Amino acid sequence: MTIDLSAEYLGLELGHPLVASASPCTGQPDVLRRLEACGAGAAVLPSLFEEQVMREDKKHPQADDLVGFPYMKDYNGGPENYVDLVKQARKAVSMPIIASLNGTTPSGCVEQARRIFDAGADALELNLHFVPVDPSISGQHVEAQYLDVVAAVSQRIQIPLVAKIGPYFSSLPYFARQVVEAGANGLVLFNRFMEPEIDLESQTIKSHLQLSHSAEARLSLRWLGILRDQLTCCSLASSGGIHEGGDALKAMAAGADVVMVTSTLLKHGAEYLKTLNAEMVEWLSHHDYTSIRQIIGSMSRERCSTPAVFERANYAQTLSSYLDDGVCSN
């Protein structure tokens, strides 16, 4: 039996639900071709950071305040070459190409977003990543700043806009709805923040990339399940912890339209997409599905038999089950 693995994301038709998320490998046209050949439904180009855009604009009021920010030209080509990267990627493959901007202010994102649109990107992912360190800045102020960026960018482009957000909001459903109302056509759950590491011997702060593991997907599973039936007008993507076909299917059962993969590609290479797709097909076929779209949202909060597990009940149930396993019996 043939299983239909086609998916829809941001109004775009994808041949497969696995999307190669932003990473160093998605910035190379030859790698994009391999990813498409191995079963990627779309690809997100490496993120361009607003600090890079500000640094290029000598008249920007914050251009001189970026001494400690890396140039990252080898990672994404820098602002002057990012438009060419979009054009090259668009010519290299037929799957949708999603550009990515990482920023927190309209001045750092709007004009570059327009240039990306003009270059032919199929969609734009706005990677919202702000670390508040000033105790006088409230959570409301941070959220309002995010919404200003989404609204400003959405007004400057005529392609779908998806916001990649973090989980750390006091009322994520409320904020997610506001992001959509501000102009986002979809949400990626979640932004994976890179935390600093301390080297005790050298007394220095170091940056170290720790690849994800499958258990990390549980955070997005909860919120995909909660948001799926509340935000029916927008696309949802799962990001973080997808390492097996079963991980992808769980995310889609919770409510994801597509699944982002990064760490597993960095670890195993483009060919591993064939394994993930094959694992999904095997499970779907064994359980008499004819299309992967049938599983989307089947285990969302409103559709599952025990919706309380998405709330506080899951905390108590998890602790109880641990005791039931006899952990304290010795």
Side-chain angles (χ1 to χ4, degrees):
M1 179 175 60
T2 301
I3 304 296
D4 179 11
L5 287 183
S6 66
E8 182 180 337
Y9 181 53
L10 305 173
L12 304 169
E13 289 296 325
L14 281 58
H16 298 82
L18 299 178
V19 176
S21 193
S23 75
C25 63
T26 58
Q28 305 172 51
D30 60 326
V31 177
L32 289 173
R33 294 187 190 97
R34 293 207 303 273
L35 288 168
E36 182 176 42
C38 292
V44 184
L45 300 182
S47 296
L48 180 66
F49 288 71
E50 73 169 25
E51 287 85 353
Q52 294 176 278
V53 178
M54 292 176 182
R55 179 180 280 141
E56 186 181 66
D57 181 4
K58 303 302 182 183
K59 296 181 180 180
H60 195 282
Q62 293 178 269
D64 296 329
D65 300 331
L66 302 171
V67 178
F69 197 87
Y71 279 84
M72 299 183 70
K73 187 173 182 179
D74 291 338
Y75 175 73
N76 55 29
E80 69 277 12
N81 294 320
Y82 200 81
V83 168
D84 289 335
L85 172 60
V86 173
K87 292 178 179 178
Q88 293 172 21
R90 182 60 284 147
K91 291 178 180 179
V93 294
S94 59
M95 65 180 176
I97 290 296
I98 303 170
S100 176
L101 277 177
N102 187 309
T104 60
T105 65
S107 62
C109 296
V110 172
E111 289 309 314
Q112 190 66 31
R114 182 67 191 189
R115 294 172 66 188
I116 287 171
F117 163 67
D118 291 338
D122 297 290
L124 175 61
E125 181 178 282
L126 192 56
N127 195 325
L128 297 170
H129 181 192
F130 174 65
V131 181
V133 295
D134 186 343
S136 67
I137 297 179
S138 69
Q140 287 180 318
H141 178 88
V142 173
E143 292 182 14
Q145 183 172 323
Y146 279 2
L147 297 175
D148 287 345
V149 179
V150 173
V153 170
S154 68
Q155 292 170 13
R156 290 286 288 164
I157 59 176
Q158 282 81 53
I159 53 176
L161 175 67
V162 58
K164 189 172 187 179
I165 63 174
Y168 306 117
F169 297 94
S170 58
S171 178
L172 186 60
Y174 178 79
F175 177 65
R177 188 186 69 188
Q178 285 189 304
V179 172
V180 174
E181 291 176 350
N185 304 103
L187 299 172
V188 179
L189 309 178
F190 288 107
N191 197 330
R192 189 168 184 257
F193 302 127
M194 303 302 173
E195 310 298 351
E197 174 64 286
I198 293 178
D199 187 316
L200 290 175
E201 296 303 321
S202 63
Q203 294 289 289
T204 57
I205 304 295
K206 293 190 173 183
S207 299
H208 175 66
L209 175 61
Q210 183 73 41
L211 298 180
S212 71
H213 50 82
S214 291
E216 291 184 36
R218 294 178 185 173
L219 179 62
S220 64
L221 287 183
R222 173 194 290 267
W223 291 107
L224 286 165
I226 291 174
L227 295 176
R228 174 69 283 167
D229 299 302
Q230 301 181 39
L231 299 176
T232 56
C233 61
C234 80
S235 294
L236 295 178
S238 172
S239 179
I242 307 300
H243 289 267
E244 299 177 359
D247 297 333
L249 290 173
K250 289 175 185 178
M252 298 186 77
D257 296 291
V258 296
V259 177
M260 301 285 176
V261 287
T262 304
S263 291
T264 191
L265 294 181
L266 294 175
K267 186 176 182 179
H268 300 292
E271 291 286 327
Y272 196 66
L273 286 171
K274 294 180 180 179
T275 299
L276 295 177
N277 278 313
E279 289 173 350
M280 288 191 291
V281 167
E282 181 180 3
W283 190 93
L284 292 167
S285 178
H286 182 72
H287 292 82
D288 298 324
Y289 285 84
T290 59
S291 169
I292 198 166
R293 301 191 195 202
Q294 293 173 275
I295 202 172
I296 296 175
S298 60
M299 288 295 293
S300 68
R301 177 175 173 271
E302 291 189 10
R303 299 188 205 180
C304 75
S305 58
T306 53
V309 298
F310 285 98
E311 304 167 40
R312 281 175 54 84
N314 184 62
Y315 181 67
Q317 183 174 322
T318 301
L319 293 177
S320 298
S321 65
Y322 201 69
L323 291 174
D324 292 340
D325 290 338
V327 66
C328 297
S329 59
N330 293 330

